[in-house]
Amino acid sequence: MGSVTHPTPGMLDIVSFGKLLAAYLKEHFPLFEGCTREQIEQYAARQISDPSSHFIQESASPGTLDGFVQLTELAFDSELFARKMGRIDHVVAKNSSRNIGATLIRNGLEWAKQRQFEHLHFRVPGSADGLHQAAQDAGFYLVSTNVYFRKFLRDPFEILPHPNYILR
């Protein structure tokens, strides 16, 4: 299994995490269309600094970051359903092959099992083709085919993340 990491401002590779997550978000999430690189990196930094999120990184060699899986413990859901629940938020890889995605998903599942999670769900962007089959191969099954619509009620770029979340 890859190494479990919670990036902190003192970590050598927090910028690598942020840039890799920012590139993934821009590619797969239409909400980020029109955002500047700095705005996306601010959002990524906020995700990285969330204490309920856990990151498992995959590196082919020391000092490199080839990809990571982000998992979040769901405290409210766990309490409501009386079982430990979590979510795979993102499976991010430099190389979008199905193999690295499958490895990251397996690593996330192993991490969750070691911590006695009983339920895990995984939101896969529609445009992340390789992850759909990798998720099914790992035992996930399709539970929703929701289609999301959006309408901006005010300029979405007026609301910026807090300055403490800016990557430097």
Side-chain angles (χ1 to χ4, degrees):
M1 181 167 75
S3 59
V4 177
T5 308
H6 190 80
T8 62
M11 282 184 62
L12 178 62
D13 62 353
I14 190 168
V15 173
S16 297
F17 268 97
K19 287 184 177 179
L20 197 55
L21 180 56
Y24 169 83
L25 293 170
K26 190 164 180 92
E27 179 180 352
H28 294 294
F29 292 86
L31 177 63
F32 292 98
E33 290 173 14
C35 286
T36 65
R37 190 180 122 236
E38 290 78 21
Q39 289 170 320
I40 295 170
E41 286 181 359
Q42 288 172 358
Y43 175 84
R46 187 172 186 179
Q47 290 288 304
I48 289 168
S49 64
D50 181 348
S52 67
S53 290
H54 304 276
F55 295 81
I56 302 163
Q57 69 182 38
E58 190 63 38
S59 301
S61 60
T64 65
L65 177 64
D66 297 320
F68 63 88
V69 57
Q70 177 186 358
L71 297 99
T72 301
E73 294 182 46
L74 301 174
F76 176 81
D77 296 40
S78 296
E79 185 177 333
L80 181 68
F81 294 105
R83 64 176 54 162
K84 193 168 183 180
M85 299 180 75
R87 176 182 62 231
I88 295 179
D89 293 302
H90 301 296
V91 173
V92 182
K94 283 183 182 175
N95 175 352
S96 62
S97 79
R98 185 169 145 198
N99 291 340
I100 187 76
T103 298
L104 289 164
I105 292 168
R106 278 194 309 274
N107 291 347
L109 287 171
E110 183 61 31
W111 180 89
K113 286 177 186 176
Q114 289 174 357
R115 284 150 187 83
Q116 285 80 46
F117 279 76
E118 295 180 49
H119 177 96
L120 206 63
H121 65 270
F122 181 14
R123 296 180 298 187
V124 181
S127 58
D129 298 330
L131 287 180
H132 300 149
Q133 188 62 49
Q136 290 178 46
D137 291 348
F140 287 90
Y141 56 92
L142 184 65
V143 294
S144 175
T145 56
N146 290 341
V147 176
Y148 292 85
F149 296 90
R150 74 174 174 191
K151 176 179 176 54
F152 293 119
L153 301 179
R154 59 187 270 209
D155 184 353
F157 306 113
E158 290 176 17
I159 306 166
L160 296 176
H162 192 278
N164 290 345
Y165 298 120
I166 296 174
L167 287 176
R168 300 195 194 290

